[in-house]
Every structure is written in C-alpha cells, then in structure tokens.
Amino acid sequence: MVKAIIPAYAMRPLRYSINVTLDGCCDHRAILPDEELHRHAIENLNQADALLFGRVTYEMMEAAFRPPARTEATPDRMEPFARTIDAAKKYVVSSTLDADRVDWNAELLGGNMAGRKMVSADLGKAVEQLKREPGKGLLVGGVMLPMALAELGLIDEYEFVVHPRLAGRGPTLFAALSKHVDLKLVSRLEFGSGAVAMRYEPRR
C-alpha cells in the first residue's frame, strides 16, 4: 500500500492583495478604486474563509464599513464590498487591543495580547495553526503585518493591483524587509481603468 504524501500547499493558502500606484505608494487615500475594482476585491474576499488584520487596518476597516458607519453617503459601488467585508470572519494581531474591543466578527489572534508584544515566533505559530485548518484560504491586508508574514515566509500568494497614477509621496511596501523574496508571476489581469492586477507566488 502506497502512503499518500500531502504537499505543503495542501494547507490553506495565505494570500495578500494590495493597491499601489505606479510609483509604489500604498496609501489607500491615493487610490480611488472604481466599481470593477471593487468587484475584484469582493472576489478576493470570497476566496477566503477569514481575514487577517493588524490593529491599524482593522480599526480603519471597522470605521468605514461596520454598520452603522455605512450611511446614505456610502457610494453605491462600494455597498456590495461593504456587506461582504462586514460579514467576513476576522483575526486581529495586536498587543494594544483588548479582546472585548475586537468584536466585529473578529477575535485576537493568539488570544489576548494586550500588554505584551507578539514576537515573530508567536505570530508564525499562530498563523501556521490557522493555515492548517480546513478551508479555502486566508487573506491578509495592510502593510506592517504582511511585511512580518513575508519575513516568516508565510505568504503563499502576492497580488499587487497597480494603478496608473503617480502619487509622488506616501508609504511604500516592504520598506524594512530584511531579505529578498523572489517571486514568479502566475497571472495578470487588466481593468478598464488601466489598473493591472499581477499575482505572484514565492519561488520556493
């Protein structure tokens, strides 16, 4: 009898997707996604069983999309995305938030970390445990948390949605990454706005 070998990628994949300008700015205020790009973002959310956020991204998303934050002023094109992210399961990495503050269909990853810093070993162990659970996948957002996960080699797919705009300012991605991460292009999708979504996988 031949014993089946389960490859590493049989674990739930951890995907990262972010919007950037042509000159590398990842500040969300520098980019105005249209309806087509919001549909693409919903497709990404629907491929994930849960979302991973750091404190800053979690609080920003909660302020924008948790009811009753959504009002008549919310553009119609954003409403389907808002409903989808509102319903999604979320895990939050934070050493400053209390568990009772993380209540938007969410829980603190690794338990209540308030008062102590989650070191990389803690983060790696907690995320690896999530990846071992059955399901379609996990989606991470933001800037600082994905950089920490990239350092640990835990991101299985990177998607950069590059917008035809020069911001001339703002934060950039992976600015403090301590080592190279070599990637291979696996897909490319062009949008009517001129934005291009490029998906990469790490070269193992």
Side-chain angles (χ1 to χ4, degrees):
M1 181 178 179
V2 178
K3 184 177 180 181
I5 299 175
I6 301 176
Y9 60 77
M11 295 169 55
R12 280 198 293 185
L14 175 58
R15 303 182 179 98
Y16 176 45
S17 179
I18 190 152
N19 293 285
V20 296
T21 62
L22 274 172
D23 55 346
C25 175
C26 59
D27 188 335
H28 69 280
R29 294 167 296 186
I31 298 163
L32 297 174
D34 60 14
E35 184 175 355
E36 185 181 23
L37 284 161
H38 275 105
R39 287 198 301 268
H40 179 72
I42 292 171
E43 291 172 3
N44 283 340
L45 291 172
N46 288 335
Q47 291 180 38
D49 307 295
L51 312 179
L52 272 66
F53 291 143
R55 177 189 60 81
V56 172
T57 303
Y58 174 76
E59 291 183 334
M60 180 184 71
M61 292 293 187
E62 183 182 29
F65 299 117
R66 182 175 186 173
R70 304 200 316 267
T71 66
E72 290 78 7
T74 302
D76 290 343
R77 70 178 186 276
M78 294 179 63
E79 188 60 31
F81 174 83
R83 289 196 303 268
T84 304
I85 199 167
D86 177 49
K89 171 68 178 176
K90 306 165 190 75
Y91 292 96
V92 183
V93 176
S94 175
S95 60
T96 57
L97 290 176
D98 291 317
D100 58 359
R101 170 64 184 81
V102 180
D103 61 353
W104 183 36
N105 300 326
E107 63 184 83
L108 285 173
L109 187 62
N112 192 341
M113 299 295 298
R116 70 184 183 92
K117 185 177 180 180
M118 177 179 270
V119 299
S120 61
D122 296 328
L123 176 61
K125 186 175 180 180
V127 173
E128 284 175 350
Q129 179 59 43
L130 281 181
K131 293 178 70 173
R132 281 193 288 268
E133 295 177 5
K136 297 178 291 186
L138 302 163
L139 181 65
V140 62
V143 177
M144 299 305 295
L145 177 58
M147 184 170 65
L149 295 172
E151 285 273 6
L152 294 168
L154 291 173
I155 297 179
D156 301 294
E157 181 180 286
Y158 295 78
E159 179 187 66
F160 303 104
V161 182
V162 183
H163 293 253
R165 169 174 285 187
L166 300 176
R169 58 170 178 78
T172 57
L173 296 175
F174 305 111
L177 198 65
S178 68
K179 57 187 177 184
H180 293 129
V181 178
D182 293 318
L183 306 172
K184 60 180 179 181
L185 181 67
V186 295
S187 71
R188 184 178 185 276
L189 177 63
E190 296 184 13
F191 298 95
S193 65
V196 180
M198 293 177 288
R199 291 181 185 264
Y200 296 86
E201 293 177 353
R203 294 185 182 274
R204 305 294 189 186

